[in-house]
C-alpha cells in the first residue's frame, strides 16, 4: 500500500486496518493500510464489486467503515469528479475553470489568466474558448480535472474517468491525469484501466486483498 514521505505538508489520509461490508454480506475489503499525501496521484484498482466506489465514499466521509480507522489529517476540502462530466452547455471551458478561482476572491483578469494556464496543463488550450456543449468526451473529462484542481481541494476523488471513452480519447485523459501530479492536492483515481493505473504515481489495489 502507498507509503511515501510527508515532507513539510501536514495533510494526509491514513487508513489503518480498514475493512468494510454492507450488513451481513461478505467483506468488500479487509485490513487496508495506506497513507496518502499531497502532490501524488493514486490509482484505486480492483475488479468490479471489489469496493472501489465504496472506498471513495469512505475517503469522502460519506460513509463510515465497518472496522478500522480512516483519518483525514488537515484535509478539509474534498472534491469529487464523477464518471459523467457535467457542465453548463453555453459556458466556455475557460469559464468553468475560472469560476472556482473567482469564488476564492481572485480578480477577473487573474482568474482568467490562471484558468488558461490550468487548461494548458491538461492539453485544452485549443478549446479554452469553446462552449461545453462542443467538447468531446475526453475534453470534458480533462476539463473536469482542471476545474477540480482549480478549487484547490485537499483531496480530489476521480471516479472511472476513462470508463466510457475509446482508447485514443482515454489516452488524452490519462496524459492529463499524469500531469496533475505535483499540483498540491491528494488525488485518488478509481479505475479499471491499466493505462490509467500506469499514469498514476501510486496504487491502492483491492485485488490484492
Amino acid at each position: 500500500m502507498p507509503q511515501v514521505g510527508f515532507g513539510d505538508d501536514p495533510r494526509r489520509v491514513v487508513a489503518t486496518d480498514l475493512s468494510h461490508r454492507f450488513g451481513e454480506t461478505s467483506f468488500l475489503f479487509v485490513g487496508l493500510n495506506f497513507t496518502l499525501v499531497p502532490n501524488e496521484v493514486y490509482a484505486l484498482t480492483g475488479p468490479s464489486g471489489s469496493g472501489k466506489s465504496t472506498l471513495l465514499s469512505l475517503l469522502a466521509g460519506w460513509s463510515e467503515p465497518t472496522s478500522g480507522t480512516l483519518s483525514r489529517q488537515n484535509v478539509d476540502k474534498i472534491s469529487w469528479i464523477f464518471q459523467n462530466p457535467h457542465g453548463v452547455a453555453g459556458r466556455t471551458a475557460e469559464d468553468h475553470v475560472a469560476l472556482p478561482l473567482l469564488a476564492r476572491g481572485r480578480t477577473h483578469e487573474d482568474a482568467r489568466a490562471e484558468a488558461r494556464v490550468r487548461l494548458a496543463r491538461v492539453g485544452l488550450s485549443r478549446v479554452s474558448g469553446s462552449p461545453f456543449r462542443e467538447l468531446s468526451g475526453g475534453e470534458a473529462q480533462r476539463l473536469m480535472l482542471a476545474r477540480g484542481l482549480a478549487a484547490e481541494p485537499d483531496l480530489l476523488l476521480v471516479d472511472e474517468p476513462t470508463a466510457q471513452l475509446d482508447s485514443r480519447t482515454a489516452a488524452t485523459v490519462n496524459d492529463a491525469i499524469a500531469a496533475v501530479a505535483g499540483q498540491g492536492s491528494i488525488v485518488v483515481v478509481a479505475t479499471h484501466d491499466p493505462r490509467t493505473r500506469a499514469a498514476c504515481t501510486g496504487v491502492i489495489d483491492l485485488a490484492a486483498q
Side-chain angles (χ1 to χ4, degrees):
M1 289 301 167
Q3 299 283 344
V4 296
F6 302 139
D8 296 325
D9 196 315
R11 295 173 297 165
R12 65 191 72 171
V13 177
V14 181
T16 305
D17 293 327
L18 190 70
S19 303
H20 195 74
R21 66 178 178 178
F22 295 102
E24 298 301 316
T25 61
S26 299
F27 277 92
L28 291 169
F29 44 80
V30 178
L32 289 180
N33 293 281
F34 56 76
T35 298
L36 310 180
V37 298
N39 296 309
E40 302 290 338
V41 181
Y42 300 95
L44 172 55
T45 66
S48 296
S50 61
K52 295 191 296 296
S53 294
T54 298
L55 184 51
L56 286 182
S57 182
L58 295 177
L59 290 169
W62 291 2
S63 305
E64 293 296 324
T66 302
S67 62
T69 61
L70 186 65
S71 172
R72 288 175 291 276
Q73 302 172 20
N74 298 294
V75 172
D76 300 314
K77 188 173 185 180
I78 301 172
S79 296
W80 194 320
I81 299 174
F82 297 100
Q83 284 190 35
N84 298 314
H86 294 286
V88 180
R91 292 286 187 178
T92 68
E94 185 178 305
D95 290 336
H96 282 79
V97 180
L99 182 59
L101 299 168
L102 290 167
R104 297 207 318 273
R106 301 288 290 274
T107 67
H108 188 272
E109 183 178 354
D110 284 349
R112 292 285 176 182
E114 183 169 339
R116 290 190 289 272
V117 170
R118 289 180 178 272
L119 287 167
R121 287 174 181 166
V122 295
L124 291 180
S125 292
R126 183 180 60 84
V127 297
S128 63
S130 300
F132 184 83
R133 63 173 170 265
E134 294 182 3
L135 302 183
S136 69
E139 288 167 346
Q141 280 289 13
R142 284 182 279 161
L143 175 60
M144 295 301 101
L145 284 170
R147 184 179 68 175
L149 287 168
E152 295 189 352
D154 298 309
L155 174 62
L156 178 63
L157 306 173
V158 186
D159 192 7
E160 296 284 2
T162 62
Q164 301 181 50
L165 303 177
D166 61 69
S167 59
R168 173 181 284 185
T169 304
T172 67
V173 175
N174 290 333
D175 287 344
I177 288 170
V180 305
Q183 292 190 36
S185 297
I186 303 167
V187 183
V188 180
V189 183
T191 184
H192 66 282
D193 186 341
R195 294 162 300 183
T196 304
R197 173 175 174 156
C200 297
T201 59
V203 178
I204 305 168
D205 187 1
L206 297 183
Q209 289 291 291

